[in-house]
Amino acid sequence: MKCPNCGNELGEGKLLCENCGEEIKIVPDFDIELEDKLKESINVMIEDIAVENLAETDAAGKDTVSEPEYKFEDDIKDELRDYLPKGLPKATVNKKIVLLTAIVLAVACIVSITVLSVNYYRYHSFDYQYGKAVGFAAHNNYPEAIGYLERALAIDSENLDVRFLLAKYYDKNSQQESAVSLLKEILRTDAVYPKRDEVYDMLLGIWESKADYAGMADILKKCDVPRIVSKYNKYAALKPVFNKAGGVYDELISISLKGNTEGFVYYTMDGSMPTDNSPVYETPILLESGEYTITAMFVNMYGVESDVETQHYYINLSQPDSPVIDPESGKYKKPVLIEAFHDNNTKVYYTTDGSVPDKNSLRYLDPIEMPYGVSNFSFISIDESGLGSEVINRSYHLEVQANFSPELALQVLKNSLWAEGKLLNVEGNVPNKLGINQYKVNTIYQSGETVYYIVYEEYMDTLGKTHDTNNIYAIDVNTAALFQAYKVDEGVYNLQPFSE
């Protein structure tokens, strides 16, 4: 069947054209055939009544005058009395009027029942209500469309397509709260609804227009549609991602934390809940031997906080052996080299200022000359996983019996350099430079029976920064004889006369 208004093909049982909204009447407003039948029935009844009355008057002998042939009108008379023959007794007329009245009332009831049946059918017809809604919406009359579609939804409450369409009508009619409620209801009702991505898109679009970023982040946490998560990712605040899951590890590991979009990851390592006052993750977190609990949350650029993510780690590493240091702590009167013996899978680092060494400290590569005077060393072995051994400390006191103390020997050196014009004065001022030279007894060196102070020269600029000049001097501890020294190896020097 086609729509009589626009010619659109109608679906079976449809009462409204979804194209133009024209109502398809299942019965005419007034049935002509029914009207003709009613007229015919009434005329037949009137004829029967007239014949009956004539027979009665003849039998009574009250009326011997023959009546002219009665011709009925084509249309129904205006009054019931007009249907009766003239000259009938009043009682008979009244009786017939009552009968005709009953007939007319019966016919009216039939018509009324028919109309009521049609209206009842329409009111309880999903297709009728849905079609009317579509028709009004086609003319942008959303208040009327909403009324009909709400009735359609009441008839078929399980129809998610109607709910989704009603949400669209609510949105068009500036009823966003009602639209949001319906959209959320759809997502809760059916986890495999084919139009879930469209539902998410519309819901998030409404919240985006209202700047409801918290609502958007909340729904995105539960969204299982990749396209939607990708499209609205900047509004999401998902839990931070750990590069390694919690558990037991037999190696040194580093933990990195990442948010789903631009923002900040805040974390704690003491089991407490992170806040925006907690440390901000910037570089990987190194986990050495022991137990760790890392708790983190992500805050996006719209200030929305994610749920908290916690991971527990246990690093079970075998600590490497400490290096063996020779010699032991003590006092020494002859030059001594300090050596560290260690496993080939480890590296040895050391400090001389009392601090705990780590992989950023000086690395031990060759034997170390024992410094003159008092010195303190700390050594540690660190394996390939980054785990360190226990720290080994050594304290040394190196001094010799000499005619010239270190201070006096240095004074002799400065005077000699001044005399040769290499210094402007004994304070160490240097020609053509603003800084000064400094001199320090670093260690001692023995060649045969002779012991020498080994002195290193450094230049200190006006900013207080020191620079190695690569000049080394040797001073006989008993005669103060001066030599230019050249280092051959640890603890080994080649001496040249100072004048050269």
Side-chain angles (χ1 to χ4, degrees):
M1 183 171 64
K2 295 186 178 181
C3 174
N5 182 48
C6 66
N8 181 50
E9 187 69 31
L10 302 177
E12 183 178 352
K14 297 294 183 180
L15 298 177
L16 274 168
C17 176
E18 295 185 354
N19 182 49
C20 68
E22 178 71 14
E23 180 180 353
I24 310 304
K25 299 179 180 178
I26 61 172
V27 295
D29 287 339
F30 193 84
D31 195 331
I32 301 300
E33 183 179 352
L34 177 61
E35 179 184 359
D36 292 340
K37 289 182 179 180
L38 287 174
K39 286 181 180 181
E40 181 181 352
S41 298
I42 293 173
N43 288 336
V44 170
M45 293 176 62
I46 292 174
E47 289 178 357
D48 291 342
I49 293 171
V51 171
E52 181 182 342
N53 287 334
L54 288 174
E56 289 177 357
T57 54
D58 288 342
K62 293 180 180 179
D63 190 356
T64 57
V65 180
S66 60
E67 293 288 334
E69 182 180 355
Y70 184 80
K71 294 183 178 180
F72 295 97
E73 300 292 333
D74 292 334
D75 296 321
I76 298 176
K77 304 300 184 179
D78 293 335
E79 297 184 7
L80 291 176
R81 189 179 300 274
D82 295 333
Y83 288 98
L84 301 176
K86 305 296 182 179
L88 291 177
K90 184 176 181 180
T92 300
V93 171
N94 289 337
K95 179 180 178 181
K96 302 309 177 181
I97 290 175
V98 171
L99 180 59
L100 286 174
T101 301
I103 293 172
V104 172
L105 289 176
V107 172
C109 287
I110 293 172
V111 174
S112 297
I113 290 171
T114 302
V115 173
L116 289 174
S117 297
V118 171
N119 290 336
Y120 179 84
Y121 171 76
R122 289 175 175 177
Y123 185 75
H124 290 84
S125 169
F126 171 84
D127 289 339
Y128 178 81
Q129 301 295 330
Y130 181 85
K132 291 289 284 185
V134 171
F136 279 113
H139 293 86
N140 297 322
N141 188 345
Y142 291 105
E144 289 290 344
I146 287 171
Y148 279 102
L149 204 57
E150 287 177 339
R151 178 60 192 161
L153 186 58
I155 296 170
D156 186 1
S157 59
E158 301 299 321
N159 195 318
L160 296 185
D161 285 332
V162 173
R163 292 191 192 185
F164 190 24
L165 182 59
L166 182 56
K168 293 179 179 179
Y169 288 176
Y170 280 143
D171 187 38
K172 294 285 188 180
N173 202 43
S174 300
Q175 295 176 247
Q176 277 75 30
E177 291 302 322
S178 297
V180 167
S181 179
L182 265 183
L183 294 170
K184 293 171 69 175
E185 189 177 293
I186 293 172
L187 294 175
R188 288 194 301 267
T189 301
D190 190 349
V192 293
Y193 179 51
K195 297 179 181 178
R196 280 175 69 83
D197 60 335
E198 297 179 41
V199 175
Y200 273 119
D201 212 354
M202 181 177 174
L203 177 58
L204 291 166
I206 292 174
W207 274 335
E208 185 178 30
S209 66
K210 298 168 69 69
D212 186 355
Y213 304 125
M216 297 181 73
D218 183 63
I219 205 71
L220 285 168
K221 286 190 297 187
K222 308 165 188 173
C223 182
D224 55 358
V225 182
R227 181 182 74 83
I228 295 299
V229 174
S230 175
K231 179 178 179 179
Y232 295 96
N233 184 52
K234 66 179 181 180
Y235 297 110
L238 307 181
K239 290 181 179 180
V241 176
F242 286 63
N243 68 316
K244 292 184 181 293
V248 179
Y249 292 84
D250 58 0
E251 61 180 348
L252 187 73
I253 63 174
S254 60
I255 302 300
S256 62
L257 307 173
K258 185 179 181 181
N260 63 282
T261 184
E262 291 186 44
F264 302 95
V265 175
Y266 298 90
Y267 72 98
T268 64
M269 298 186 66
D270 58 3
S272 63
M273 290 296 103
T275 68
D276 54 8
N277 292 320
S278 302
V280 177
Y281 172 81
E282 294 178 331
T283 58
I285 305 167
L286 181 65
L287 302 184
E288 299 179 339
S289 184
E291 293 185 59
Y292 300 87
T293 297
I294 301 178
T295 306
M297 75 169 183
F298 172 69
V299 180
N300 67 20
M301 299 305 290
Y302 296 92
V304 181
E305 298 179 359
S306 74
D307 291 336
V308 170
E309 178 71 9
T310 300
Q311 295 290 341
H312 303 278
Y313 301 91
Y314 181 73
I315 313 302
N316 184 24
L317 299 179
S318 298
Q319 194 174 35
D321 293 333
S322 299
V324 175
I325 308 301
D326 183 60
E328 294 290 333
S329 299
K331 291 184 177 181
Y332 294 86
K333 297 183 178 300
K334 291 183 178 181
V336 179
L337 293 177
I338 304 169
E339 294 184 88
F341 301 93
H342 60 96
D343 191 286
N344 290 335
N345 294 324
T346 64
K347 297 176 181 178
V348 175
Y349 299 87
Y350 69 95
T351 61
T352 59
D353 59 0
S355 62
V356 176
D358 57 27
K359 62 181 182 180
N360 296 315
S361 302
L362 296 171
R363 183 181 173 187
Y364 173 85
L365 296 173
D366 297 301
I368 305 168
E369 296 175 347
M370 184 179 291
Y372 191 83
V374 177
S375 59
N376 296 287
F377 285 82
S378 297
F379 296 88
I380 190 172
S381 292
I382 298 179
D383 63 18
E384 295 175 348
S385 68
L387 187 63
S389 69
E390 292 184 3
V391 176
I392 301 299
N393 297 308
R394 289 287 185 267
S395 294
Y396 302 109
H397 185 187
L398 174 63
E399 62 178 2
V400 294
Q401 295 291 332
N403 294 329
F404 288 85
S405 67
E407 292 77 18
L408 187 55
L410 291 176
Q411 192 64 41
V412 172
L413 174 60
K414 291 178 183 180
N415 287 333
S416 299
L417 293 173
W418 179 23
E420 290 193 0
K422 295 180 179 180
L423 293 178
L424 295 177
N425 48 47
V426 293
E427 280 73 29
N429 292 98
V430 183
N432 303 319
K433 291 184 179 180
L434 298 177
I436 61 173
N437 281 352
Q438 295 180 322
Y439 302 90
K440 177 183 178 182
V441 174
N442 189 62
T443 187
I444 58 176
Y445 167 66
Q446 185 170 354
S447 177
E449 296 296 323
T450 306
V451 178
Y452 302 89
Y453 294 119
I454 299 298
V455 179
Y456 281 71
E457 180 184 73
E458 292 179 335
Y459 172 73
M460 185 175 70
D461 59 28
T462 55
L463 298 177
K465 186 176 181 180
T466 58
H467 309 269
D468 190 357
T469 65
N470 296 319
N471 289 325
I472 304 175
Y473 302 98
I475 307 174
D476 189 321
V477 298
N478 289 313
T479 65
L482 298 177
F483 297 88
Q484 191 82 37
Y486 301 93
K487 190 171 185 177
V488 178
D489 201 352
E490 293 298 327
V492 180
Y493 292 87
N494 182 8
L495 305 183
Q496 298 293 332
F498 182 74
S499 59
E500 297 180 5

